[in-house]
Amino acid sequence: MGSATNTALLDEDADRAVERRHAAAAARRPTRPHRGAPDLTLIPEPGDPYMPPHTPSSVDSITEQTFAERVLQAERPVLIQFWATWCHPCRMVTPIVEQLAAERSGTLDVVKIDLDEEPELADRHGITAVPAFVVYAGGRPVGSWVGAAPMHVLEQKLADIGGTFEHGRVTGVQGSGDGR
């Protein structure tokens, strides 16, 4: 009976050790919410020093139904930001994009498209990573790039793609910002 009791205790200890290893491995494994589910762990707390301050959005969200009117038929160049709620870099660059929209409101329209809500638009533009940006002028894409960046880099990307934005038109188009 002593031997059976010792074996049972050893089995129980081994089971607990396996459970601890599995729990530790699960804690180290990065988690990503399923498509469409918000990852609430990334929502910044008020005063979070690692997140830019958030202001009310000056950038409209567009859908498949409003795309033609807001982008293809726009009189001015349009910067589209593709983003997702679970994307931390998207959240970091959004206030910068909103500031850019406010500063260039007379020469550039800025809109955003949620990757999870409008997957067809993302697929049509070949978006495989976010944040991603596409610049349209005259109803056609004239450049694109992927990745969050500070204001001066976004401004340089726009300058590289579109030359200058004069009277709501792009002049001196150089090509896309990503070599496409």
Side-chain angles (χ1 to χ4, degrees):
M1 181 156 161
S3 172
T5 304
N6 287 341
T7 302
L9 289 175
L10 289 174
D11 288 343
E12 190 176 312
D13 286 343
D15 289 342
R16 276 196 226 124
V18 168
E19 287 174 11
R20 281 194 305 273
R21 280 196 303 270
H22 283 242
R28 287 190 306 270
R29 197 174 310 125
T31 59
R32 188 171 188 171
H34 63 83
R35 225 177 147 98
D39 182 0
L40 300 178
T41 61
L42 295 179
I43 296 175
E45 295 294 323
D48 183 344
Y50 299 104
M51 294 297 291
H54 183 71
T55 58
S57 180
S58 59
V59 178
D60 292 336
S61 290
I62 62 170
T63 65
E64 183 74 52
Q65 291 75 28
T66 60
F67 182 80
E69 177 186 349
R70 295 296 308 274
V71 177
L72 300 178
Q73 299 167 7
E75 294 181 13
R76 294 190 290 239
V78 180
L79 171 64
I80 304 171
Q81 176 191 6
F82 286 89
W83 69 287
T85 56
W86 46 261
C87 169
H88 190 66
C90 297
R91 291 177 183 208
M92 291 175 56
V93 78
T94 293
I96 298 167
V97 172
E98 291 172 348
Q99 180 183 351
L100 181 72
E103 290 177 4
R104 298 214 178 175
S105 63
T107 59
L108 178 69
D109 290 337
V110 181
V111 296
K112 60 185 177 180
I113 298 175
D114 186 327
L115 179 74
D116 293 326
E117 291 181 13
E118 300 296 333
E120 296 83 16
L121 280 174
D123 288 344
R124 188 180 328 152
H125 287 87
I127 304 301
T128 58
V130 287
F133 299 87
V134 178
V135 177
Y136 269 76
R140 65 182 182 84
V142 294
S144 62
W145 71 90
V146 175
M151 177 67 86
H152 73 277
V153 173
L154 294 181
E155 289 174 335
Q156 185 60 52
K157 296 267 190 195
L158 288 170
D160 290 348
I161 290 170
T164 59
F165 295 95
E166 295 176 4
H167 308 293
R169 296 182 308 121
V170 178
T171 61
V173 173
Q174 303 294 318
S176 73
D178 65 355
R180 284 197 246 183

